[in-house]
Amino acid sequence: MDSKENEMMTRVGPSTPAGETLRRYWLPVSFSHEINADAPRLVRWLGEDLVLFRDEGGRVGLMEPNCPHRGTSLEYGWIEAGGLRCCYHGWVFDVGGRCIEQPGEPAGSAFKNKIKLKAYPVTEVGGVVFAYMGPGKAPPFPRYDFLAREDGERTFAGYLRECNFLNQLDNCLDPVHATILHGREVNGTRENPERQESPEFEVLSDDLFASYVARRPGPIPGKEWHREVSYTPPILVIHDGGSLPGDPAAHFADVAWRMPVDDYNTYSFILKFFPFREGKSTIARKRNVPRPPPLMRGTRRQFDMTTVNGQDAAAQIGQGAIADRTAEHLGYSDRGVIQVRKLWMSAIDAVIRGDDPPGILRDLKSNELIHFDVIGSGRLVDKDQMLDHLPRVMRI
Ligand code: FES
Ligand SMILES: [Fe+2]
């Protein structure tokens, strides 16, 4: 890969090829529970500083952070009067960015009608707030089943990693690293059968979806351990879609969006969905254990090399803030990585051509659910079973 292509795939700001492509999709910008009605919050996504708030009516706003009057930051404002009130002279902006009040102007003045902040459309689904930061009319929101299903519970987690989002996406279809990087010790144990042997793996892909299925010998003749991780443009990684082949009813989902904060920082939104069984919760107590704080850039000593997350952080941040892909030597084992990049590049190419990138479904019906048929991790499966595993994405 040459440096031009590397830049093209990794830079996320406005007017960059990757940045413009990312902006064609609905992207996660917060968990719902993180936006309280007391105070606005400054956030940074795709290299843009923005103010995020929830108005008194519960609606979420995401807009330019500086007041168009004399420029102070709206992060110090108050939630009131149907919007966000600037702390300096009290102008109020609604979630659409319209100025709806100017206390210092004469009564009846129409000046406020000329003032508008750039605000992005926002929608809240399944406890996650998504924004459309692109041009024109937003496409229909894709109602993934793990977000939209109401017959279960979701848990949320997240962490910041100080590297470009593609460092992290390159890692998702890379099963060999699981054996080497995570193979020595995780939480004091080496018991996991998945981490003991380098796997056989296949890379499966269509124009919407790429995944690997790693196969390791199982303890019973004719059975294998299968692990699948999939990538869906632009930033969705599914570690467990929760279904076995031929069984479209997800029993569990484990997904992550690798959301670019800017060129050098990535925030992972992690969501797990646990359907009710006979109307009851299936969330195991141990899954509610609080996670350790995010692992940041630093020396080797600062990464906890005994946890999966610490190991991944060390390896991905160790590649440099934006990995230098011009100096790589990709081998046979990197074919999943290559597939992720191909799919991401096909999305960028589509946007450059003026087309919709893959995954934008303009004909979605309002109640349609989208299900990712992913085997997930650590399943003991009949040897031939995965051959029947396509199609990968189902509209139900
Ligand atoms: S700077 Fe915001 S109202 Fe004056
Ligand atoms: Fe990993």
Side-chain angles (χ1 to χ4, degrees), residues 139-144 359-370 395:
F141 183 84
R143 296 176 74 243
Y144 304 131
I360 300 292
L361 305 169
R362 295 218 176 251
D363 59 340
L364 281 174
K365 296 182 187 67
S366 64
N367 60 350
E368 204 163 0
L369 286 183
I370 298 170
R395 292 165 64 163

Side-chain angles (χ1 to χ4, degrees), residues 106-392:
S109 163
F111 180 35
K112 66 175 185 302
N113 301 337
K114 297 191 184 135
I115 309 290
K116 192 167 183 306
L117 281 168
K118 182 160 83 175
Y120 294 125
V122 164
T123 188
E124 267 185 290
V125 187
V128 186
V129 180
F130 292 85
Y132 177 72
M133 295 170 65
K137 192 170 177 289
F141 183 84
R143 296 176 74 243
Y144 304 131
D145 57 357
F146 46 76
L147 279 170
R149 276 175 66 169
E150 289 171 5
D151 58 333
E153 299 161 283
R154 278 168 270 273
T155 62
F156 309 98
Y159 61 87
L160 180 74
R161 186 158 291 165
E162 290 192 335
C163 62
N164 181 262
F165 77 110
L166 200 60
N167 286 26
Q168 217 164 345
L169 288 179
D170 272 352
N171 170 270
C172 69
L173 259 63
D174 173 13
V176 174
H177 95 277
T179 311
I180 307 300
L181 182 66
H182 305 314
R184 286 167 189 263
E185 180 191 359
V186 171
N187 301 329
T189 174
R190 292 197 58 178
E191 302 283 294
N192 188 338
E194 285 200 80
R195 298 201 176 109
Q196 310 245 327
E197 311 229 8
S198 272
E200 297 272 326
F201 72 95
E202 295 176 31
V203 175
L204 308 166
S205 186
D206 62 17
D207 49 356
L208 281 183
F209 196 88
S211 75
Y212 78 72
V213 178
R215 327 165 72 163
R216 293 171 170 89
I220 303 168
K223 303 262 184 190
E224 293 180 324
W225 289 109
H226 285 184
R227 176 179 167 81
E228 179 172 15
V229 176
S230 80
Y231 163 65
T232 304
I235 54 169
L236 182 61
V237 177
I238 302 183
H239 293 97
D240 200 324
S243 61
L244 288 167
D247 169 16
H251 60 83
F252 173 64
D254 179 358
V255 306
W257 289 265
R258 310 297 190 199
M259 178 64 179
V261 174
D262 53 28
D263 289 345
Y264 308 115
N265 295 281
T266 304
Y267 188 84
S268 284
F269 286 91
I270 296 168
L271 177 148
K272 297 186 186 189
F273 175 68
F274 303 85
F276 295 132
R277 291 252 170 77
E278 291 161 9
K280 296 210 181 71
S281 171
T282 60
I283 297 182
R285 190 169 287 229
K286 64 179 176 130
R287 292 204 173 101
N288 289 328
V289 171
R291 286 177 170 255
L295 289 146
M296 308 291 281
R297 182 203 302 271
T299 64
R300 181 187 173 106
R301 272 200 319 276
Q302 286 172 289
F303 296 112
D304 182 350
M305 293 299 277
T306 69
T307 65
V308 169
N309 210 26
Q311 292 157 355
D312 278 327
Q316 293 164 21
I317 294 171
Q319 290 177 299
I322 298 180
D324 180 2
R325 295 181 179 78
T326 65
E328 294 174 327
H329 299 85
L330 297 181
Y332 178 70
S333 65
D334 295 305
R335 57 201 191 280
V337 180
I338 292 165
Q339 201 57 46
V340 167
R341 294 178 188 174
K342 267 194 191 153
L343 200 48
W344 177 228
M345 205 56 200
S346 77
I348 295 174
D349 284 341
V351 170
I352 290 173
R353 280 198 312 273
D355 296 338
D356 274 339
I360 300 292
L361 305 169
R362 295 218 176 251
D363 59 340
L364 281 174
K365 296 182 187 67
S366 64
N367 60 350
E368 204 163 0
L369 286 183
I370 298 170
H371 174 69
F372 290 86
D373 188 17
V374 172
I375 296 168
S377 56
R379 301 286 166 73
L380 199 56
V381 184
D382 285 341
K383 272 191 173 170
D384 320 328
Q385 208 167 358
M386 65 182 251
L387 302 176
D388 305 327
H389 189 47
L390 297 169
R392 325 292 309 170

Side-chain angles (χ1 to χ4, degrees), residues 62-136:
L62 180 70
M63 59 200 194
E64 288 178 82
N66 291 97
C67 178
H69 178 215
R70 281 175 33 211
T72 199
S73 176
L74 292 168
E75 70 185 293
Y76 304 112
W78 301 286
I79 310 287
E80 58 187 41
L84 174 57
R85 186 187 294 282
C86 177
C87 69
Y88 206 176
H89 312 95
W91 290 15
V92 178
F93 301 90
D94 71 9
V95 292
R98 284 170 290 270
C99 183
I100 54 174
E101 199 185 311
Q102 294 172 317
E105 294 301 305
S109 163
F111 180 35
K112 66 175 185 302
N113 301 337
K114 297 191 184 135
I115 309 290
K116 192 167 183 306
L117 281 168
K118 182 160 83 175
Y120 294 125
V122 164
T123 188
E124 267 185 290
V125 187
V128 186
V129 180
F130 292 85
Y132 177 72
M133 295 170 65

